[in-house]
Amino acid sequence: MSSTRRSVLILGLGSYVDKHASNITTLTSADVAGKVSGTIAEASTLGFDGESFDVNPAQPEATVQRLRETLASKKWDSVSIGFGVRGQIQFTGLFEDCVNTVVEEAPGARFVFSTGPDKVVEGIKRVFRDVPGLQEEKVAQ
């Protein structure tokens, strides 16, 4: 594994999951916080410094502004956007705004699209498969 540390910003509904994702998950905001914390710890063992970012669908403009400020705070190697944000039709515009903000503010950052707050590392392994030590294990079919 490379000795260079990389950064990953993990976007998800986080503390807003209770209000905005009951149609797609039974996870509570406490469940999500625990899973994201575990993900950040696991990512760290692979050389990634993770930080979570809660997307608030009720305040899209403020969310995008906070995202812009967070992205400007340091160099981001990767940005993960969770399914709660990108998998619900009513959040399509917010998802697009988040993607375009990342493209503008963090050029070169690789996108990770996880299927859950505890699946970000799987995405990191997929997206950074060119980094020695991060190849995703092949699953027998």
Side-chain angles (χ1 to χ4, degrees):
M1 178 172 25
S2 171
S3 62
T4 302
R5 305 249 349 135
R6 292 178 171 81
S7 58
V8 58
L9 183 62
I10 303 167
L11 277 66
L13 293 177
S15 60
Y16 305 103
V17 73
D18 298 324
K19 286 181 124 179
H20 299 288
S22 61
N23 60 323
I24 63 168
T25 186
T26 58
L27 294 176
T28 66
S29 57
D31 297 331
V32 171
K35 290 179 182 291
V36 169
S37 179
T39 290
I40 289 171
E42 185 181 358
S44 181
T45 68
L46 297 176
F48 284 80
D49 295 321
E51 185 177 319
S52 65
F53 181 94
D54 290 356
V55 173
N56 183 355
Q59 296 182 333
E61 295 84 10
T63 295
V64 170
Q65 182 57 39
R66 279 189 309 107
L67 177 58
R68 191 174 304 284
E69 292 165 3
T70 300
L71 292 168
S73 70
K74 65 190 239 183
K75 181 187 181 302
W76 294 97
D77 298 295
S78 180
V79 175
S80 171
I81 303 177
F83 188 75
V85 174
R86 66 175 209 287
Q88 299 187 74
I89 196 165
Q90 69 271 29
F91 301 153
T92 300
L94 178 56
F95 169 63
E96 291 169 340
D97 288 345
C98 288
V99 168
N100 288 320
T101 300
V102 171
V103 169
E104 293 166 9
E105 299 296 330
R110 296 184 189 187
F111 284 99
V112 171
F113 298 117
S114 66
T115 58
D118 55 347
K119 303 297 185 191
V120 174
V121 171
E122 290 176 11
I124 288 171
K125 289 178 179 180
R126 280 193 312 271
V127 172
F128 286 89
R129 64 183 164 270
D130 58 321
V131 175
L134 289 183
Q135 291 81 12
E136 188 175 24
E137 294 178 21
K138 301 293 182 202
V139 177
Q141 295 187 18

